[in-house]
């Protein structure tokens, strides 16, 4: 009876402390995280499509975690690993909105396992090396936290011998054990399989409808392909195709110039640097109609752009100027033409002594957000538009042989990646295996090789996406990190 009474008192004290630790409101939490949101918001990563997508997905999971913390009576917390690309700060800037440099960013990974808003906010800020001084003024009713470590906030510090004598569980020890638990692929699949199967079955009719609409429109308009810039849900994609179908019925004459082209549903309308027709998902038919009517002018500009690329190539010893959709921001044809024109004029005036055709077989892409040239693992040069011509010449000469080796390795890697995807799809009877654009070929190869060593009956008939985190998408796709444990 005495021990039962002691336990009741202890539980009452713990409950009181948990309530005290949640005095930070949802609005206060959002306000406290403003520096963090400013550092990672996807809108500031427009020139970095891979990093933008990682931050978008991580913010969705973070918002879900914060929402759960505010639900009354919510008890089920799973450690949530997150990865963000954080914009670097200028060392001497005092203004918050001017303190972030456009020159770079860093990747930050951390796992949330806190059970109250204050500890979560402090964990996030400390993990990203952001100041926490402003948080204390928001949480006047809570005890100060040190280094955002998640500990049970109690007025009484019970000695460890108390738990060994009474047999009660030590809350601090339980919390430390929970923090040490790392999500494994098997445990995550075991926990989420049923939910994914249910969502996938529900989405099957819409998936069939999407394939039907895509096939009919592609055939009717003689399109090369229909794509989406973002990973919108199946219902959203069907809605976009229905909208395009209605425009075809209402104004068939404006679509006479789309033969052989690729249509991309994206954030804005126009023609992309790659020559694809962009249809903004927020635009109405009137805007789409104008784009289709302008296609002849776009095609003329595209010819001028190709001529400009050829002129740059001649000035740089035959190196090919390319535009890679997966690695570069989604530029309009006009934006890309202006970039090429500016770079060409600088090269023409500098008269660099490149021997004709000495760099044939090599590739380069132009980037407006870098300040130093670099060589990509796939062998193409990444050249800033502001690069000094003399620096450009030295860098290309110094890295030419390495670039050729990387290009050869790229071909081998692409073949290996495709073979491993096909083998994995067949072994696990997957309906589809794919990766997010932010996952490199090397990461995909490593992931597939390790998957093939496992026995995973959970995956039969599923859609598996290789990503940077665990998640079940709205339509039942399973997302797993490429470096799963």
């Amino acid at each position: 009876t005495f021990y039962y009474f002691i336990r009741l008192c202890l539980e009452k004290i713990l409950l009181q402390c948990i309530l005290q630790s949640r005095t930070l409101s949802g609005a206060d939490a959002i306000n406290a995280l403003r520096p963090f949101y400013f550092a990672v918001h996807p809108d500031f990563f427009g020139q970095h499509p891979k990093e933008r997508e990682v931050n978008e997905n991580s913010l969705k999971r973070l918002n879900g975690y914060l929402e759960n913390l505010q639900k009354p009576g919510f008890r089920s917390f799973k450690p949530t690993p997150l990865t963000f690309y954080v914009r670097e700060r200028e060392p001497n800037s005092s203004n918050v909105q001017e303190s972030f440099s456009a020159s770079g960013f860093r990747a930050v990974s951390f796992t949330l396992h806190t059970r109250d808003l204050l500890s979560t906010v402090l964990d996030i800020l400390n993990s990203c090396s952001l100041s926490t001084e402003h948080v204390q003024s928001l949480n006047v009713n809570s005890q100060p936290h040190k280094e955002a470590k998640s500990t049970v906030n109690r007025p009484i510090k019970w000695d460890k011998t108390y738990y060994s004598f009474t047999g009660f569980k030590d809350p601090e020890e339980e919390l430390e054990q929970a923090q040490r638990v790392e999500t494994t692929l098997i445990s995550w699949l075991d926990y989420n399989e049923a939910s994914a199967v249910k969502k996938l079955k529900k989405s099957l009719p819409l998936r069939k409808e999407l394939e039907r609409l895509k096939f009919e429109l592609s055939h009717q308009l003689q399109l090369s392909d229909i794509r989406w810039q973002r990973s919108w849900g199946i219902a959203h994609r069907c809605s976009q195709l229905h909208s395009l179908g209605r425009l075809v019925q209402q104004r068939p004459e404006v679509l006479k110039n789309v033969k052989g082209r690729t249509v991309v549903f994206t954030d804005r309308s126009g023609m992309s640097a790659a020559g694809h027709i962009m249809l903004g998902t927020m635009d109405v038919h009137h805007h789409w109609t104008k784009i289709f009517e302008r296609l002849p002018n776009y095609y003329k500009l595209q010819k001028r752009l190709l001529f400009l690329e050829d002129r740059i190539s001649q000035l740089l010893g035959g190196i090919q100027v390319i535009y890679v959709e997966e690695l570069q921001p989604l530029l309009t044809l006009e934006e890309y033409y202006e970039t090429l024109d500016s770079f060409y004029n600088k090269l023409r005036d500098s008269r660099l002594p490149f021997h004709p055709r000495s760099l044939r077989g090599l590739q380069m892409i132009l980037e407006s957000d870098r300040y130093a040239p670099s060589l990509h693992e796939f062998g193409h040069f990444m050249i800033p538009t502001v690069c000094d011509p003399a620096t450009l010449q030295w860098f290309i000469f110094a890295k030419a042989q390495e670039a050729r080796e990387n290009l050869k390795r790229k071909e081998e890697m692409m073949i290996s990646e495709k073979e491993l995807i096909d083998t994995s799809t067949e072994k696990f009877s997957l309906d589809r295996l794919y990766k997010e654009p932010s996952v490199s070929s090397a990461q995909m190869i490593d992931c597939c090789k390790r998957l093939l060593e496992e026995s995973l009956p959970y995956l039969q008939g599923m859609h598996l996406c290789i990503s940077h985190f665990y998640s079940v998408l709205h339509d039942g796709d399973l997302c797993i990190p490429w470096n799963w444990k």
Side-chain angles (χ1 to χ4, degrees):
T1 306
F2 172 76
Y3 293 141
Y4 179 73
F5 174 77
I6 292 293
R7 183 166 187 171
L8 285 177
C9 292
L10 177 60
E11 290 176 351
K12 184 176 181 180
I13 291 171
L14 288 174
L15 178 61
Q16 181 182 2
C17 295
I18 290 172
L19 292 174
Q20 287 178 349
S21 68
R22 292 186 179 180
T23 54
L24 195 68
S25 69
D28 285 340
I30 292 174
N31 192 33
L33 287 173
R34 284 182 64 187
F36 164 75
Y37 286 129
F38 193 78
V40 304
H41 199 283
D43 287 352
F44 294 106
F45 288 80
Q47 302 296 313
H48 303 277
K50 288 185 177 181
E51 290 76 11
R52 177 188 176 110
E53 184 172 5
V54 170
N55 282 11
E56 281 181 344
N57 291 325
S58 293
L59 280 174
K60 289 178 185 177
R61 304 183 72 229
L62 172 60
N63 291 337
Y65 191 94
L66 294 175
E67 287 176 7
N68 285 336
L69 283 177
Q70 299 173 68
K71 292 179 181 178
F74 193 82
R75 293 286 183 271
S76 176
F77 284 87
K78 294 186 296 182
T80 303
L82 298 172
T83 295
F84 286 100
Y85 286 94
V86 182
R87 294 190 296 145
E88 293 285 16
R89 285 177 172 272
E90 295 284 7
N92 299 319
S93 178
S94 58
N95 188 318
V96 173
Q97 295 198 0
E98 297 176 353
S99 62
F100 290 93
S101 167
S103 60
F105 43 79
R106 54 191 167 84
V108 175
S109 297
F110 54 93
T111 300
L112 291 179
H113 35 57
T114 45
R115 292 173 175 264
D116 63 87
L117 281 174
L118 178 60
S119 296
T120 303
V121 167
L122 291 172
D123 261 353
I124 294 169
L125 294 174
N126 277 292
S127 296
C128 297
S129 302
L130 298 172
S131 173
T132 60
E133 293 180 3
H134 62 290
V135 180
Q136 299 302 326
S137 62
L138 297 174
N139 190 55
V140 295
N141 296 327
S142 297
Q143 298 295 325
H145 284 63
K146 294 182 180 179
E147 300 180 3
K149 289 185 178 178
S150 182
T151 57
V152 178
N153 206 3
R154 299 179 307 204
I156 299 177
K157 179 71 174 179
W158 298 95
D159 191 271
K160 298 294 181 182
T161 55
Y162 169 79
Y163 299 104
S164 60
F165 178 75
T166 61
F168 297 155
K169 294 182 179 180
D170 184 349
E172 288 187 354
E173 186 176 327
E174 281 190 311
L175 191 56
E176 289 174 1
Q177 290 176 354
Q179 292 176 5
R180 290 194 295 267
V181 173
E182 188 172 22
T183 302
T184 64
L185 177 62
I186 301 297
S187 64
W188 186 84
L189 288 174
D190 186 53
Y191 186 83
N192 290 279
E193 180 199 15
S195 170
V197 169
K198 182 179 179 181
K199 291 180 178 179
L200 180 61
K201 287 182 177 178
K202 186 178 179 181
S203 73
L204 288 179
L206 273 178
R207 289 180 186 271
K208 291 181 180 178
E209 173 72 357
L210 179 65
E211 289 302 313
R212 183 188 68 80
L213 290 169
K214 184 177 178 181
F215 174 79
E216 289 181 357
L217 282 170
S218 297
H219 179 73
Q220 184 177 1
L221 300 175
Q222 299 183 58
L223 296 172
S224 175
D225 195 10
I226 297 177
R227 301 179 190 171
W228 286 264
Q229 180 197 7
R230 301 191 182 283
S231 51
W232 284 298
I234 305 297
H236 196 168
R237 296 187 182 201
C238 285
S239 176
Q240 291 159 1
L241 291 184
H242 277 299
S243 187
L244 179 58
R246 286 194 297 271
L247 179 60
V248 173
Q249 292 177 349
Q250 296 167 4
R251 299 289 305 276
E253 73 281 358
V254 301
L255 291 108
K256 59 184 178 181
N257 295 311
V258 301
K259 181 179 179 180
R261 294 284 170 168
T262 293
V263 168
V264 181
F265 289 97
T266 181
D267 294 331
R268 52 179 174 165
S269 297
M271 178 167 278
S272 74
H276 303 326
I277 301 168
M278 302 190 303
L279 299 181
T281 57
M282 300 302 292
D283 292 339
V284 295
H285 283 183
H286 174 68
H287 295 100
W288 289 6
T289 300
K290 282 188 173 182
I291 297 301
F292 289 123
E293 290 174 343
R294 291 177 191 157
L295 286 180
N297 291 330
Y298 278 127
Y299 296 155
K300 290 178 183 178
L301 180 59
Q302 189 178 27
K303 287 182 179 180
R304 291 167 56 193
L305 184 147
L306 294 174
F307 174 77
L308 206 51
E309 286 182 339
D310 186 59
R311 294 293 296 160
I312 293 173
S313 176
Q314 292 177 20
L315 292 174
L316 293 178
I319 190 170
Q320 182 186 8
V321 183
I322 61 173
Y323 176 84
V324 185
E325 289 181 285
E326 294 79 8
L327 300 175
Q328 295 180 257
L330 190 64
L331 299 175
T332 64
L333 198 67
E334 299 93 332
E335 291 169 343
Y336 190 49
Y337 181 85
E338 290 178 4
T339 299
L340 287 172
D341 188 52
S342 173
F343 186 72
Y344 168 70
N345 290 330
K346 180 185 294 186
L347 281 180
R348 184 187 56 189
D349 296 340
S350 65
R351 300 181 182 277
L352 293 176
F354 282 99
H355 190 278
R357 297 184 296 279
S358 61
L359 298 177
R360 287 190 66 180
L362 297 181
Q363 299 174 336
M364 62 169 279
I365 64 175
L366 281 175
E367 297 196 327
S368 58
D369 62 332
R370 290 179 181 265
Y371 297 93
S374 61
L375 179 63
H376 194 270
E377 61 175 344
F378 278 174
H380 55 260
F381 289 96
M382 304 173 74
I383 307 299
T385 55
V386 297
C387 185
D388 175 66
T391 302
L392 170 65
Q393 179 187 9
W394 175 87
F395 186 81
I396 292 179
F397 279 148
K399 297 287 186 178
Q401 183 56 36
E402 184 181 350
R404 295 187 190 279
E405 294 171 358
N406 285 5
L407 282 170
K408 183 178 180 181
R409 188 161 57 247
K410 170 192 173 182
E411 296 176 5
E412 298 170 352
M413 190 176 293
M414 299 298 286
I415 293 173
S416 177
E417 181 182 7
K418 185 179 185 308
E419 289 176 349
L420 285 167
I421 289 175
D422 292 342
T423 303
S424 301
T425 302
E426 182 178 355
K427 175 179 177 179
F428 301 116
S429 300
L430 288 164
D431 195 67
R432 185 189 178 201
L433 173 59
Y434 63 104
K435 68 174 184 177
E436 289 187 343
S438 55
V439 176
S440 69
S441 291
Q443 292 170 336
M444 186 67 172
I445 288 172
D446 175 72
C447 176
C448 289
K449 283 182 177 178
R450 294 190 298 113
L451 279 176
L452 289 170
E453 297 174 358
E454 303 291 328
S455 175
L456 301 168
Y458 312 88
L459 299 180
Q460 184 173 353
M462 301 301 295
H463 291 241
L464 182 63
C465 174
I466 307 304
S467 176
H468 294 275
F469 50 82
Y470 289 102
S471 178
V472 178
L473 301 185
H474 181 268
D475 296 303
D477 293 45
L478 289 166
C479 292
I480 66 170
W482 69 269
N483 57 344
W484 54 270
K485 306 297 182 185

